[in-house]
Amino acid sequence: MKGASIALDRVADREAAALIVDGRLEDLFLDGDTALPGTIYRGVAGRPMKGQGGIFFDTPDGPAYLRQIKGISPGEARLLQVTGYAESGKALPVTDRVLFKSRFAIVTPGAPGINVSRQIRDDDMREALLEIAHDVMEGDFGLILRSSCAGADEDAVAEDIREMVALAQAVTADVPGGPEVLVEGDGAHARAWREWTMPASVDQGPDAFERLGVWDAIEDLKAAHVPLSSGSMAVELTRALVAVDVNTGGETSPAAGLKATIAALRELPRQLRLRGLGGLVTVDPAPIPKKERKQIEAVLRAALKTDTVETVFAGWTPMGNIELQRKRDRPALADILREARR
């Protein structure tokens, strides 16, 4: 199966979306049981947690935690936006720098200016998009025109900007009051429309996952073991972190460790993305000499650059492990499947 296909279905009675490229599952959006990322609240501040450098807010969906104290008074109402999925038993992660994001446009209150994605390199196209933006924009909001604007219908881009500006105006004028949900975050189907903008066929409705082979790919993701072009790796979630162990298998050549580690790091972002894993990620590479670390880092950075989930390379541990910090922008696949079996 060549080209891209999108399957829109439901898992555990919640929206689910899968992106298949050239017959391989590349991305998977699943709705969890907590507030969706992108949800905007009017939250009310509690007491500052000075030792932790943050403050809890009351929201209709439970406590939210903002990593900021300065300039916030107890009882103050403030706009907050959910930035990711909360770990079990923990407060919702939020920011007070809200964004209004759609398929073509991101409206940025408090950050004026109009910018075009650097992925759009055609000067004429950039000028045409800027002209559209200047004609449509109102107020003191900023605007980012996304890479999906390239080749898009100009009227569709203009309408998208208008809708996001109107939403931003309504929400930012509605700060006073008690805790309230002002904007629901995008579910898996809307998120797929927003983020997967390449030409693709769409299969939706009951059994879409079955028809496009998504369930077979998910079955493979239930196992920790991941076969690679050279060697293999195991990806396992613990309470504290995601542990990744790279193995050379039966190969005993001097370059076996380097080959297996490179193959693992190229595949790692996809495996973490599909499994819905984030937080601290520790990679135990196959045996490699220290002189190869620069090459390993270059491979890792290139792999992370093409990933859609924000991930930071933190460095090497004294024991020679690689540490990453990855945003939790989706629920863990294992948790969703566990619910589906109930």
Side-chain angles (χ1 to χ4, degrees):
M1 180 172 58
K2 295 295 184 180
S5 301
I6 295 172
L8 304 179
D9 207 330
R10 300 185 75 84
V11 175
D13 201 34
R14 287 197 288 268
E15 288 186 0
L19 174 65
I20 304 98
V21 179
D22 294 338
R24 187 173 86 150
L25 182 62
E26 284 295 331
D27 208 346
L28 187 63
F29 292 154
L30 303 169
D31 287 356
D33 59 359
T34 60
L36 294 168
T39 297
I40 300 176
Y41 299 114
R42 183 196 304 120
V44 176
R47 292 183 178 180
M49 307 292 290
K50 293 184 179 179
Q52 299 180 28
I55 188 169
F56 285 97
F57 279 78
D58 291 330
T59 79
D61 293 324
Y65 185 69
L66 178 67
R67 291 187 178 277
Q68 179 182 331
I69 292 178
K70 188 176 181 181
I72 303 175
S73 304
E76 176 185 343
R78 184 168 288 214
L79 295 180
L80 304 170
Q81 188 166 41
V82 178
T83 57
Y85 277 92
E87 295 180 75
S88 179
K90 294 190 176 182
L92 293 165
V94 295
T95 179
D96 61 352
R97 297 179 180 178
V98 299
L99 301 175
F100 297 86
K101 187 175 183 179
S102 189
R103 186 177 177 94
F104 300 121
I106 303 174
V107 172
T108 59
I114 298 176
N115 297 284
V116 179
S117 169
R118 285 179 291 183
Q119 294 182 38
I120 300 177
R121 296 184 173 87
D122 184 277
D123 289 339
D124 292 339
M125 186 178 294
R126 292 178 67 88
E127 286 299 322
L129 290 170
L130 287 171
E131 186 175 339
I132 293 170
H134 284 292
D135 288 344
V136 175
M137 282 297 290
E138 298 178 10
D140 298 326
F141 302 129
L143 175 69
I144 300 170
L145 292 169
R146 306 183 68 196
S147 59
S148 53
C149 292
D153 179 78
E154 292 186 357
D155 290 340
V157 173
E159 183 59 26
D160 203 43
I161 297 171
R162 288 191 191 95
E163 289 181 1
M164 288 300 99
V165 169
L167 181 60
Q169 289 173 332
V171 171
T172 55
D174 196 18
V175 178
E180 185 178 344
V181 177
L182 301 179
V183 178
E184 295 280 2
D186 286 337
H189 294 178
R191 190 176 180 187
W193 171 82
R194 190 187 76 199
E195 300 299 332
W196 300 338
T197 57
M198 72 290 290
S201 61
V202 179
D203 188 341
Q204 56 186 323
D207 300 324
F209 274 19
E210 187 70 36
R211 288 189 292 272
L212 292 184
V214 177
W215 281 118
D216 291 337
I218 287 176
E219 192 65 30
D220 293 339
L221 293 168
K222 292 180 181 179
H225 179 77
V226 181
L228 301 167
S229 58
S230 180
S232 65
M233 65 178 169
V235 181
E236 297 180 278
L237 176 64
T238 73
R239 287 187 65 86
L241 50 81
V242 178
V244 180
D245 182 38
V246 183
N247 297 289
T248 58
E251 189 173 348
T252 57
S253 70
L258 179 61
K259 288 164 61 179
T261 300
I262 287 175
L265 295 180
R266 285 174 174 164
E267 174 64 13
L268 183 60
R270 174 177 172 267
Q271 289 294 324
L272 296 175
R273 189 167 64 241
L274 296 179
R275 295 165 189 260
L277 299 178
L280 175 61
V281 180
T282 299
V283 181
D284 181 12
I288 52 171
K290 277 192 175 182
K291 66 180 182 179
E292 305 291 359
R293 287 190 177 182
K294 284 191 176 181
Q295 183 179 351
I296 291 297
E297 288 181 28
V299 170
L300 176 60
R301 293 183 192 280
L304 295 178
K305 190 174 182 180
T306 62
D307 192 18
T308 56
V309 183
E310 181 183 338
T311 306
V312 177
F313 168 54
W316 298 82
T317 71
M319 296 295 291
N321 293 334
I322 298 168
E323 287 193 331
L324 308 173
Q325 186 64 41
R326 186 174 178 87
K327 184 177 181 179
R328 287 189 177 89
D329 79 331
R330 59 191 73 192
L333 174 63
D335 292 342
I336 301 299
L337 296 179
R338 197 176 300 118
E339 281 191 39
R341 290 195 294 268
R342 289 176 186 169

